[in-house]
Amino acid sequence: MRLSRLSAWLAFAGAWSTAFSVSSAATSVSPAVLSATTDLLDAGHILHFLDIVDAFGHVSVRNPDNLSEFFMSFSLAPALATSQSIITYEINNATALSLTFNTSVTGANIPAGFAELFIHSELYKAFPDVQGVVHSHTTEVLPFAGANVPLKAQMHTAGSIGTQGTPIFDTGKLPTSILPENQPHDTLIRTAVLGDALARSFSSDGGVVLMKGHGMAVRGSSVRDAVFRSFYTLQDAKVQFQATLLGGSMGLTPREAQDGANTTESTSLLGRAWQLWVAQVDTAGLYVNDLRASTVPASAS
């Protein structure tokens, strides 16, 4: 039943998005929410374009008008998300409140969300300064968690990884009070208790946690920042692996990592990367951000 309802919504969303206008979105939400959700759609598309996510993985952004809420697509490949797949969630209990751009759709009529939405709700709950969250199954980072080798910042663009070594979250080592025997042991973060345990595993100097046999969770000061950190975590994993083959991977000093993050994650440099990535997804042919005029289908104008 839920699958058929989701299929119906996908068909509806596709038809609705073709007729959707940017001016309609602008009048239905505040400018701050429109900006945040525009970035959210771009983020999902960019993460796919940069090979950080595939059909699986997800991204969210905190609601700038109500810090007790966040926006996230329903269960859908990030590359295919449009305005009509965005759901407004309550952070406190990860409850789906409504479709963000069709608030008449509430309760049981909202398409099913991601099984791991508690990654997002619990990170927002634990860290009030976090405005964007990414979860991915990026293959380049999986060997490090599998071998119990933390990532360390190897370059200035990956300074947010930190120099103490990324925490490695291993569901196989959790007590039964967090992951009972009668729950699935598939490494997915299916409950608030698991999400809280994941959030608590973040180090004070890093924005990334590796998840053994699963992927990674990334927090950011904005959804753009979370995407930036995700991409350069992937790049850092490549560099650390190659440096290890050459006989060393000391990485950056704490000062270099912190100053590197402050520089590369500044508004201007983060904006430079975002401008390039948006241009790339806009011309790729697959992605449609119907909250920006540049990607609204011609038939909608």
Side-chain angles (χ1 to χ4, degrees), residues 9-96:
W9 264 110
L10 288 173
F12 170 79
W16 193 94
S17 294
T18 302
F20 184 77
S21 69
V22 175
S23 60
S24 297
T27 58
S28 64
V29 298
S30 73
V33 167
L34 180 61
S35 177
T37 50
T38 300
D39 277 358
L40 177 63
L41 292 182
D42 281 335
H45 301 161
I46 289 167
L47 288 167
H48 179 262
F49 182 84
L50 296 177
D51 291 327
I52 298 163
V53 303
D54 48 18
F56 304 98
H58 25 86
V59 58
S60 67
V61 64
R62 194 188 290 266
N63 182 349
D65 285 354
N66 185 339
L67 300 183
S68 66
E69 298 174 353
F70 67 98
F71 303 121
M72 187 177 177
S73 170
F74 55 64
S75 185
L76 179 72
L80 303 180
T82 69
S83 66
Q84 287 301 287
S85 63
I86 301 174
I87 298 173
T88 302
Y89 284 97
E90 185 177 345
I91 288 173
N92 186 51
N93 52 20
T95 299

Side-chain angles (χ1 to χ4, degrees), residues 213-249:
H214 192 164
M216 64 180 178
V218 182
R219 61 183 182 178
S221 60
S222 67
V223 70
R224 294 185 180 192
D225 189 42
V227 170
F228 184 93
R229 290 178 170 187
S230 299
F231 176 67
Y232 283 104
T233 297
L234 181 157
Q235 299 302 313
D236 192 84
K238 294 178 180 179
V239 172
Q240 185 167 326
F241 180 77
Q242 292 167 346
T244 301
L245 293 179
L246 293 172
S249 61

Side-chain angles (χ1 to χ4, degrees), residues 3-288:
L3 181 60
S4 61
R5 187 164 73 243
L6 175 59
S7 298
W9 264 110
L10 288 173
F12 170 79
W16 193 94
S17 294
T18 302
F20 184 77
S21 69
V22 175
S23 60
S24 297
T27 58
S28 64
V29 298
S30 73
V33 167
L34 180 61
S35 177
T37 50
T38 300
D39 277 358
L40 177 63
L41 292 182
D42 281 335
H45 301 161
I46 289 167
L47 288 167
H48 179 262
F49 182 84
L50 296 177
D51 291 327
I52 298 163
V53 303
D54 48 18
F56 304 98
H58 25 86
V59 58
S60 67
V61 64
R62 194 188 290 266
N63 182 349
D65 285 354
N66 185 339
L67 300 183
S68 66
E69 298 174 353
F70 67 98
F71 303 121
M72 187 177 177
S73 170
F74 55 64
S75 185
L76 179 72
L80 303 180
T82 69
S83 66
Q84 287 301 287
S85 63
I86 301 174
I87 298 173
T88 302
Y89 284 97
E90 185 177 345
I91 288 173
N92 186 51
N93 52 20
T95 299
L97 301 175
S98 70
L99 289 184
T100 306
F101 289 95
N102 189 351
T103 54
S104 64
V105 179
T106 61
N109 292 319
I110 301 173
F114 290 100
E116 296 188 288
L117 61 92
F118 292 104
I119 292 176
H120 303 260
S121 61
E122 293 303 312
L123 277 172
Y124 290 126
K125 189 186 300 182
F127 304 107
D129 60 329
V130 167
Q131 304 299 317
V133 174
V134 170
H135 170 57
S136 73
H137 309 147
T138 312
T139 54
E140 286 83 355
V141 307
L142 284 170
F144 290 90
N148 201 35
V149 176
L151 286 176
K152 296 182 180 181
Q154 304 293 318
M155 51 190 181
H156 67 300
T157 46
S160 63
I161 289 176
T163 58
Q164 302 303 310
T166 50
I168 297 174
F169 186 75
D170 184 354
T171 57
K173 295 181 178 180
L174 294 175
T176 55
S177 59
I178 295 176
L179 182 58
E181 288 296 332
N182 63 355
Q183 290 186 5
H185 284 230
D186 55 6
T187 77
L188 270 62
I189 308 302
R190 296 175 176 274
T191 67
V193 174
L194 280 168
D196 176 67
L198 175 65
R200 290 176 184 273
S201 70
F202 275 81
S203 64
S204 59
D205 76 331
V208 180
V209 167
L210 303 188
M211 304 167 71
K212 186 175 182 180
H214 192 164
M216 64 180 178
V218 182
R219 61 183 182 178
S221 60
S222 67
V223 70
R224 294 185 180 192
D225 189 42
V227 170
F228 184 93
R229 290 178 170 187
S230 299
F231 176 67
Y232 283 104
T233 297
L234 181 157
Q235 299 302 313
D236 192 84
K238 294 178 180 179
V239 172
Q240 185 167 326
F241 180 77
Q242 292 167 346
T244 301
L245 293 179
L246 293 172
S249 61
M250 294 296 293
L252 304 183
T253 67
R255 174 68 184 273
E256 290 170 336
Q258 184 60 61
D259 287 358
N262 290 342
T263 297
T264 59
E265 295 180 31
S266 64
T267 301
S268 61
L269 294 191
L270 191 57
R272 182 194 300 178
W274 198 258
Q275 182 182 36
L276 170 64
W277 294 335
V278 168
Q280 289 174 318
V281 297
D282 274 1
T283 57
L286 172 63
Y287 316 101
V288 176

